[in-house]
Amino acid sequence: MSDGHRPGPEEFPPAPGQSGPPAPRAEGVPAGPAGTDPGPVPADAGPQAAPAQGTSPVGETPVTDWQRLHPLSVWASAVVVGLFLVPSAIVASIVLVVAGQPLWALLPVPAALAFVALMTYIDLLRLRATRYRVTDERMEMRSGVVAKSYRSIPRERVRSVDVAAPIYVRIFGLCSVTVGTGEKVGAGADQLQLLYVTAGQGEWLRRDLLRRGAPAAGAVSGVGEAAEDGAGEEGETELARLDRRWFAYAPATTATLGVGLGAIAGLLGLNAQTGGVGWDWLSEQAGLPSVEEMSSFVMGQILIVVPLTLLGLLVSGVVVLTAVAVETWWNYRLTREADGTVRLRRGLLTSVSLSVEGRRLNGITLHEPYVLRLSGGADVRAVATGLAAADDQKTSAKSRLSPGMPRERARKLAADLMGTPDSPLDVALAVHPRTALRRRFTRAAVVTVLGAVLSGALAWLHTLIAEAWWDVVHEVEREIIPVPLATSTVEVTPSWAWAVLAVAIAAAAFWYAVGSYRGLGHGLHPRYLVVRKGMAVRDTVTLERSAVIGWRINRSPFQRRLGLADVAATTAAGQGMYAARDVGLGQGLAWADEAVPELLAPFLVRDGQEDGVGRDADGGAPRP
């Protein structure tokens, strides 16, 4: 990444083997062979040792020489590719032998080995072409075999440092380091990634790049100097540590049933590719009843079949989601370091360490999906610069600072992160106008009408389709669905069932409308503004008032008719914009004007009152 700075000749030292002035390095740090680390400067060296060793004076950050990625990264990548390709090639050879193709069976394994060798050679070229260094002003990286690339990040723009160690590189003592600036210039333009360096180098880079003002303790560590990510570092304050009982909240999500449905979708695809042969073979081998008999049984025992089906989907989802949560959040620990940096460590197979500058943490989000909220749980996410991703969903996932946990524990963790004696989450939130509820009822009415039309159309088609049409539909279903019961079940469905469907859609629509309205709210804290919204996913966001850089007022034609507006605070942190939805226009403008005085004042109509702020008719709030 370049910020417009054009480095001088001294910032482009020659590649190894070329002549030219040597790259700058810290005084007293001996330069090793080309491409090697200079070795660490002892962190515990006393003041008396500094003159003798020639180390940098206190207050200066040592300038490191150009560094290579670790050579073991090539073999780590080769092992990963080999583990995926070679077993698959062996299985393919066995299948070809069984299928009577002994000559073709000799091809897969040599081809896989040749591909692994090719990828290893490409990685060796990439390793030779990649260099990086950290000076007291910038982090720089050169890469590229055919197309050369030079990227430079000023140290003051570094917002986050992510150290990740998947298991296949952790066994080699390596990790990847991703340095983020929070800029949204383009794909990959907001970060610089090193694949791979030693664990010691990763830890040094994390500490040094996020340090503001304090000098580094030494140069980048070499192999064998890997520092543990363990606890007990001087000056750290522990904010949260994993409680294994929190894994019980992992399946509390609407995706729990979806995991089982995903497995069914996989079977659908497999059966469709075989043209329905799978179901026919299973029916013959197991002596299953005919489709018509099974459909009649399902409709006759629907009160038993449906709950058992849902239970099977639920159990499969619980097992999968719990396993994912264990892998993601094992060894979870959230700490605040002496300089205010917030550090997250987690992971079983992939060890992750994410550090965010304390002064860049501009607020938090209390995230409560519906099922998790019913279970009394929540998780905490950061509103910070430097954690932006390609879209809002990826940004939210990257900024997650905790697993699902009890709501009160999540609220306490949020308060500790914000560092306020009185938590902004305890602020009383203003109720939005009843017209906002009316607007949601209007949407629910539209959904109800559409549901009634859909149910009526299905009921009409049900009575219209002749027996010959049903035979065609059943035949198509047998070619696609592993267990072809859906159309047969629909065929024997009574007419009144379609009316039940319409009533269920209407009830769900109005229930959602009421819940969505009850989730609205906004308020003010001496340091933070607070916004709440959502039904399926309820987010309560706290944002530092000093981090607000502007306001955006949106009013659709329907909102203007009801006197409503969306009042959004814009910021460089998090998702970039946090809105109070469907708030009364005067109410929202008064909230914005009080949150950040004078920022909105030039855009308000002044009616000559003493306070200089115009008022409208809905309760003495400013108007545009």
Side-chain angles (χ1 to χ4, degrees):
M1 176 181 303
S2 177
D3 61 325
H5 169 75
R6 296 182 60 85
E10 70 279 5
E11 295 186 61
F12 287 91
Q18 296 179 354
S19 61
R25 58 185 176 86
E27 181 182 355
V29 179
T36 61
D37 299 335
V41 176
D44 56 348
Q48 296 83 359
Q53 305 243 355
T55 56
S56 300
V58 175
E60 295 184 9
T61 302
V63 180
T64 65
D65 203 347
W66 286 92
Q67 305 287 324
R68 284 186 180 182
L69 302 179
H70 200 279
L72 284 178
S73 62
V74 173
W75 309 114
S77 300
V79 167
V80 174
V81 175
L83 287 177
F84 278 100
L85 286 183
V86 174
S88 301
I90 294 174
V91 171
S93 298
I94 295 174
V95 171
L96 289 173
V97 170
V98 173
Q101 301 290 334
L103 294 179
W104 286 103
L106 300 176
L107 179 62
V109 173
L113 294 177
F115 184 79
V116 171
L118 175 63
M119 296 303 296
T120 303
Y121 177 70
I122 293 175
D123 281 340
L124 282 171
L125 294 179
R126 178 183 63 85
L127 177 71
R128 293 178 57 118
T130 304
R131 297 287 190 277
Y132 73 94
R133 71 174 178 178
V134 180
T135 72
D136 55 355
E137 294 182 353
R138 321 180 70 81
M139 180 173 184
E140 301 165 290
M141 179 176 176
R142 298 184 311 184
S143 61
V145 178
V146 178
K148 299 293 184 179
S149 172
Y150 171 81
R151 300 180 67 186
S152 175
I153 297 178
R155 289 171 63 105
E156 66 269 13
R157 293 192 181 179
V158 174
R159 301 293 181 260
S160 64
V161 179
D162 188 353
V163 181
I167 190 169
Y168 58 86
V169 299
R170 202 189 326 168
I171 59 178
F172 291 94
L174 305 178
C175 66
S176 67
V177 178
T178 304
V179 182
T181 65
E183 298 177 3
K184 297 183 180 179
V185 180
D190 63 334
Q191 61 185 24
L192 188 153
Q193 190 174 44
L194 303 177
L195 297 175
Y196 297 94
V197 296
T198 65
Q201 288 173 316
E203 176 65 13
W204 181 87
L205 286 167
R206 184 193 71 81
R207 289 180 174 275
D208 188 63
L209 290 173
L210 290 176
R211 181 177 289 107
R212 294 292 184 262
V220 180
S221 302
V223 179
E225 298 294 332
E228 293 290 335
D229 280 347
E233 296 182 7
E234 184 178 357
E236 275 192 346
T237 301
E238 184 173 275
L239 302 176
R241 181 186 290 270
L242 177 66
D243 186 336
R244 296 180 186 179
R245 292 174 294 182
W246 296 348
F247 289 135
Y249 290 100
T253 171
T254 53
T256 304
L257 294 177
V259 171
L261 292 175
I264 293 176
L267 293 176
L268 289 175
L270 179 62
N271 192 68
Q273 291 176 358
T274 61
V277 174
W279 169 252
D280 294 337
W281 179 85
L282 181 63
S283 299
E284 293 175 2
Q285 297 297 319
L288 297 177
S290 66
V291 172
E292 291 74 13
E293 292 174 340
M294 295 178 68
S295 301
S296 299
F297 172 80
V298 169
M299 291 307 299
Q301 305 293 331
I302 192 169
L303 296 180
I304 298 176
V305 173
V306 171
L308 288 178
T309 303
L310 293 177
L311 179 62
L313 295 175
L314 183 65
V315 170
S316 61
V318 167
V319 172
V320 171
L321 291 177
T322 302
V324 171
V326 170
E327 195 284 325
T328 302
W329 295 104
W330 192 257
N331 290 328
Y332 164 71
R333 189 164 179 259
L334 187 68
T335 59
R336 177 181 281 114
E337 298 182 347
D339 59 356
T341 298
V342 175
R343 185 182 184 190
L344 167 69
R345 281 165 282 192
R346 60 174 176 82
L348 180 62
L349 299 180
T350 299
S351 178
V352 175
S353 174
L354 175 65
S355 299
V356 181
E357 255 193 303
R359 65 192 181 104
R360 304 297 177 184
L361 185 63
N362 300 124
I364 60 90
T365 298
L366 189 68
H367 187 71
E368 301 174 274
Y370 179 71
V371 180
L372 184 59
R373 189 165 74 247
L374 288 183
S375 306
D379 64 67
V380 178
R381 308 193 175 197
V383 178
T385 52
L387 296 181
D391 52 50
D392 289 347
Q393 184 175 3
K394 292 182 179 179
T395 298
S396 182
K398 186 178 179 181
S399 61
R400 188 171 178 181
L401 296 181
S402 79
M405 58 175 61
R407 182 184 293 110
E408 291 305 316
R409 180 66 184 88
R411 293 173 68 92
K412 182 180 183 302
L413 174 60
D416 291 341
L417 285 168
M418 290 181 285
T420 56
D422 53 334
S423 174
L425 294 175
D426 296 331
V427 170
L429 301 183
V431 178
H432 287 211
R434 301 288 290 184
T435 48
L437 177 60
R438 190 197 314 167
R439 189 169 186 236
R440 282 155 177 75
F441 277 165
T442 301
R443 296 172 183 169
V446 172
V447 172
T448 299
V449 171
L450 294 177
V453 171
L454 174 64
S455 300
L458 292 175
W460 177 69
L461 289 173
H462 191 195
T463 59
L464 185 67
I465 295 178
E467 186 67 26
W469 282 96
W470 279 117
D471 292 340
V472 174
V473 172
H474 296 333
E475 186 62 30
V476 172
E477 185 184 32
R478 288 190 183 94
E479 297 292 325
I480 299 175
I481 301 178
V483 184
L485 293 176
T487 58
S488 298
T489 303
V490 171
E491 183 180 8
V492 298
T493 300
S495 299
W496 54 263
W498 302 112
V500 173
L501 176 62
V503 172
I505 292 176
F510 281 93
W511 166 77
Y512 191 91
V514 172
S516 178
Y517 173 74
R518 294 179 61 184
L520 296 176
H522 63 278
L524 283 179
H525 177 271
R527 280 183 53 195
Y528 293 84
L529 57 86
V530 186
V531 175
R532 187 182 67 192
K533 64 180 179 64
M535 170 59 182
V537 177
R538 181 164 297 170
D539 286 338
T540 306
V541 179
T542 67
L543 176 65
E544 283 184 335
R545 294 159 71 166
S546 59
V548 177
I549 59 177
W551 293 96
R552 182 174 179 178
I553 316 297
N554 283 339
R555 303 187 74 196
S556 69
F558 300 103
Q559 286 178 314
R560 289 198 296 270
R561 181 173 176 271
L562 298 174
L564 301 176
D566 293 342
V567 180
T570 59
T571 177
Q575 297 178 0
M577 187 176 300
Y578 297 94
R581 303 285 184 186
D582 287 334
V583 66
L585 177 60
Q587 182 186 29
L589 294 177
W591 172 67
D593 189 53
E594 183 180 356
V596 187
E598 303 305 325
L599 183 60
L600 196 62
F603 304 96
L604 300 178
V605 175
R606 303 180 183 275
D607 293 337
Q609 297 185 3
E610 292 183 3
D611 59 0
V613 179
R615 306 286 170 179
D616 71 1
D618 67 350
R623 56 187 175 85

